[in-house]
Amino acid sequence: MALKKNFIKGYGKNIPVKNNGPILSLSHAIILVSIVISGFSCTQQSFTTGFDPSKLKLLGDSVHYGSYNIYKIGDDIYKINDPGDPQAILGGLIGTDIYLICGESKALMIDLGNNYIDGFEKDLIKPRKNAKEEFLDVVNKLIGKQPLEVAVSHMHPDHSGMTKAFLEKEVPLWIGEGEDMERLKNMYGIDPSIYKIFKQGEKTFDLGGGRIVETFLLRGHSNGGTVFLLKPDMMLFTGDAISPGPRRKRELRSAEAFNNFTVDINNLVNIIKDNFVPYDRYRLQVYTGHSGEMMYHATKTNSADTLPEDAGYGEWRFVQDMANVANAIKDGTWLNATRGFHHFEVPAGTNSQKQIQIVFYNGALILPEDVAYGASGMKVPELPKSR
């Protein structure tokens, strides 16, 4: 719209201006430009302030906001990825993934990522301005008016970090039986009683519309780790309980951790085999706690292999291969390369323990050398004496 001659736009009214020559005309022009720029800045702020989920329409669509990259990974299912900080270490360095599943009646969030509200000094994570507000903005705009529940796979700092964001909210917080809840107090000064404890295998989350999340115990990485299976979508959210190989791994630091893992991974495989038809098993999708761990979509094609493994694809193969590795360590067949197993030394673990990584196709475990040999009653071979 053209401006009227000798008038500038005021606060809802036209203000007459005398024609006093080029100097005043220049000043009027500056005022007009300033008003236009100011108005443009306000308009831009209204468009850029806050999380906008409208671009998350198709599978694979992503939006960056605050500390996170948000991906649409299913119908009303989202991955909230923290890409990490190159100046941090451990979970703060590699980043972590939070998952949000919306049903017809409620939403479930799995894991809470790193603590950017207060930071976490042990992992060199620094607090970030507006971390709580930005995080809740993402969550609230994805779930709309649905009630939310939160379940944490295990009580490690890169999976429980944003707990404080919900302290003043009426949001149930859940964690599986067996986790060290004192860690919450030691890490963040938060009373552990804010979490409700559930028994894996008994607790389910009914999100409405046929979406049900079942829970399974998978110890090893922690003492009460939980994996979550979303039905009927066949999406398995595993936290840090399992990781693919050979590029990645799952480190088990003691004989007890290995024995617990072996029992639980076989139980998980058997439950899936016994309760789902082949079509459902083959379309299983695995989502670990760290995106970098899932840089594969390979199938095992060695038809001559005689290990008891269900026919299938990609991620279902991976889950079974994790069980195959554990079982081979238990019976000593991991030393037989003709059956597809490979092992090699990796950097020392805690207490300078000598460690080896054992790989079978997509599955891999790292254990102290004495645990790997001792699981089947063998002794660690003695090094040949130098002459």
Side-chain angles (χ1 to χ4, degrees), residues 27 29 33 79 89 97 127 140 191 204 227-228 241 272 304 315 320 346 371-372:
S27 65
V33 170
K79 178 174 72 174
I89 60 173
D97 293 306
N140 290 332
D191 184 351
T204 61
V227 299
F228 303 85
I272 293 174
E315 278 123 307
Q320 295 173 92
V346 295
V371 173

Side-chain angles (χ1 to χ4, degrees), residues 111-243:
D111 281 344
L112 288 171
N114 284 304
N115 182 2
Y116 292 121
I117 298 174
D118 302 317
F120 187 61
E121 186 175 357
K122 186 177 179 181
D123 289 357
L124 305 184
I125 296 173
K126 298 178 181 178
R128 298 181 181 180
K129 186 178 180 181
N130 300 321
K132 174 182 174 180
E133 292 76 14
E134 289 177 348
F135 179 66
L136 291 177
D137 192 25
V138 171
V139 175
N140 290 332
K141 287 179 179 173
L142 289 175
I143 67 174
K145 296 182 179 180
Q146 288 185 328
L148 174 69
E149 296 191 30
V150 174
V152 172
S153 63
H154 61 296
M155 193 52 72
H156 285 183
D158 52 337
H159 295 265
S160 60
M162 295 298 285
T163 296
K164 187 172 285 189
F166 296 102
L167 292 186
E168 300 172 358
K169 307 290 181 181
E170 294 182 0
V171 174
L173 302 175
W174 296 92
I175 193 164
E177 190 176 74
E179 284 297 291
D180 180 5
M181 296 306 296
E182 285 301 307
R183 295 194 68 167
L184 190 67
K185 186 175 183 179
N186 296 334
M187 292 186 297
Y188 311 128
I190 296 175
D191 184 351
S193 66
I194 66 166
Y195 273 86
K196 299 180 179 181
I197 310 296
F198 65 80
K199 187 173 181 62
Q200 297 92 334
E202 295 181 2
K203 175 64 178 176
T204 61
F205 297 89
D206 188 344
L207 308 183
R211 274 190 168 158
I212 296 176
V213 178
E214 295 186 344
T215 62
F216 301 95
L217 178 66
L218 189 40
R219 298 164 294 173
H221 181 70
S222 69
N223 292 327
T226 304
V227 299
F228 303 85
L229 178 62
L230 171 62
K231 302 187 304 184
D233 304 78
M234 294 304 292
M235 300 172 82
L236 188 69
F237 303 93
T238 66
D240 287 347
I242 54 176
S243 302

Side-chain angles (χ1 to χ4, degrees), residues 258-259 262 307-308 323-336 339 341 371-378:
F258 168 72
N259 289 330
T262 302
L307 283 173
N324 286 333
V325 172
N327 294 336
I329 295 170
K330 199 74 174 175
D331 64 20
T333 56
W334 62 275
L335 291 166
N336 187 348
R339 301 193 67 181
F341 294 97
V371 173
Y373 280 93
S376 59
M378 295 186 289

Side-chain angles (χ1 to χ4, degrees), residues 5-135:
K5 189 176 181 179
N6 295 333
F7 284 82
I8 60 174
K9 214 72 169 175
Y11 294 93
K13 58 184 179 179
N14 291 331
I15 303 173
V17 180
K18 291 183 179 179
N19 204 344
N20 289 326
I23 294 177
L24 282 179
S25 296
L26 177 61
S27 65
H28 299 156
I30 293 172
I31 293 172
L32 280 170
V33 170
S34 299
I35 293 171
V36 171
I37 291 174
S38 176
F40 177 74
S41 298
C42 293
T43 304
Q44 285 300 101
Q45 187 176 11
S46 68
F47 277 112
T48 58
T49 299
F51 170 63
D52 179 10
S54 64
K55 294 182 180 179
L56 299 173
K57 296 178 180 179
L58 303 176
L59 294 183
D61 284 352
S62 65
V63 174
H64 177 78
Y65 176 72
S67 298
Y68 306 100
N69 297 315
I70 301 93
Y71 298 85
K72 183 180 178 72
I73 61 173
D75 291 335
D76 296 319
I77 306 173
Y78 305 93
K79 178 174 72 174
I80 304 171
N81 166 250
D82 160 21
D85 182 345
Q87 296 182 345
I89 60 173
L90 302 176
L93 170 65
I94 64 175
T96 188
D97 293 306
I98 302 164
Y99 298 96
L100 185 61
I101 309 164
C102 300
E104 289 187 0
S105 58
K106 71 171 67 171
L108 176 68
M109 175 173 283
I110 297 174
D111 281 344
L112 288 171
N114 284 304
N115 182 2
Y116 292 121
I117 298 174
D118 302 317
F120 187 61
E121 186 175 357
K122 186 177 179 181
D123 289 357
L124 305 184
I125 296 173
K126 298 178 181 178
R128 298 181 181 180
K129 186 178 180 181
N130 300 321
K132 174 182 174 180
E133 292 76 14
E134 289 177 348
F135 179 66

